[in-house]
Every structure is written in C-alpha cells, then in structure tokens.
Amino acid sequence: MGANDARKSVVPREKSQLRERAEAIHAADVALRHLERSADLLDSAANWGTFDMFIGGMLSSMIKHRRIDDAEDEFNAARDAVKRFARELSDVQGIEDTVRFDISGWISGIDIFMDNVFADWYVQTKIRQAQERVAEAIVQIGQIRQALMDLEPL
C-alpha cells in the first residue's frame, strides 16, 4: 500500500466524520426547536394557571390544559428528536456525552372537574417541574451541540 493509497482511505473517513458531525448538529437543532416550543407552551400554561388560581374558572382551566396538551405534543416530538440526536452523536468521534431525556406523566382532567385552588396549585407545581426539565434539556443539548461545533477540524 503506497502513501497515495493510505491518503485516499483517510479522506473518505474524514468526510464521513464531517457528515456525521453535521447530522448530529442538525439533529440537535431539531431537538432544541421542539424543546423551545414546549418551553413557550409551558410558560403560557403557567400564565393561564396563575390566572386560573386567582380569577379564572372552567374556561381558563380548559385553555391552560390545551397549552399543556400542546406542550406534551412538543415533548413527544422532542423525545423522538433527542433519540435521533443520541444516535447521530454516537457516530461522531471525539464526543463522549450521552443524552437522557425523560418526560413523566401529566395531569389533565382532575383540574377541570375539581376546579379549586388546591387542584390548580398542584397543576402549577407540575408545570414548574416540567419547565425545569425542559430548561435542563435545552442546556444539556445546547452544550453538546457547542462541543460538536468546537471539535477540531478533521
């Protein structure tokens, strides 16, 4: 095997790693878009929840839960996007991070049918917890994305 042959085998590997890195960055961008959208929806749900606790009634509870349902849809899309991101990340040499993303159960019907300050407070607590998980996921994925961007050129 001559020097020219060795160089030819290295170039495709470098191109492959560049492609894998670009795919991982794209997957991170998709996941971040879904997470940011879910964060916005959770903020809206929290605002409606505050209104619901002090002034609202059945209508504000319904709007709040619609926002929660929409946020859950974004969570599901984010979870799929994060799984893809994790797969793409495993193909990139030089990145050792792993991604974990878990969204636990949601409350919905109880607050509308038991519209009182205790049910409203409980839902607000769940919204805040979800906001914290989303914020943590955004930071983690953002940091890994930045690490991908900062990798030495091949």
Side-chain angles (χ1 to χ4, degrees):
M1 177 182 226
N4 216 11
D5 291 334
R7 185 171 181 213
K8 285 180 183 177
S9 69
V10 170
V11 172
R13 203 170 334 145
E14 289 174 355
K15 285 183 180 180
S16 173
Q17 276 301 299
L18 285 173
R19 185 180 64 248
E20 295 298 343
R21 189 185 307 176
E23 289 172 356
I25 290 168
H26 175 72
D29 290 341
V30 171
L32 286 169
R33 275 194 303 272
H34 286 295
L35 287 167
E36 289 164 355
R37 176 74 178 129
S38 65
D40 291 343
L41 289 162
L42 287 169
D43 289 345
S44 178
N47 290 338
W48 278 103
T50 300
F51 178 82
D52 190 29
M53 285 174 61
F54 296 106
I55 302 168
M58 187 171 188
L59 180 62
S60 59
S61 285
M62 289 171 53
I63 294 170
K64 173 182 62 182
H65 284 290
R66 179 63 191 166
R67 297 298 188 276
I68 291 171
D69 290 343
D70 291 345
E72 186 174 20
D73 291 344
E74 287 296 328
F75 277 143
N76 291 332
R79 184 175 29 237
D80 293 343
V82 168
K83 286 177 184 176
R84 180 171 180 261
F85 175 52
R87 281 192 308 271
E88 295 296 343
L89 197 57
S90 70
D91 293 338
V92 177
Q93 292 176 358
I95 292 289
E96 308 303 324
D97 293 296
T98 59
V99 179
R100 293 199 171 117
F101 189 69
D102 182 36
I103 302 300
S104 58
W106 279 82
I107 308 302
S108 62
I110 187 172
D111 181 42
I112 293 173
F113 297 111
M114 296 176 58
D115 196 16
N116 64 56
V117 71
F118 300 111
D120 292 342
W121 177 79
Y122 181 72
V123 171
Q124 283 296 100
T125 300
K126 291 299 182 183
I127 290 170
R128 275 193 299 279
Q129 290 170 351
Q131 286 173 309
E132 290 169 7
R133 287 192 306 266
V134 168
E136 289 169 6
I138 288 171
V139 168
Q140 182 183 17
I141 292 171
Q143 289 172 340
I144 296 169
R145 183 191 184 283
Q146 188 60 50
L148 286 166
M149 299 292 291
D150 293 344
L151 281 176
E152 292 294 320
L154 300 174

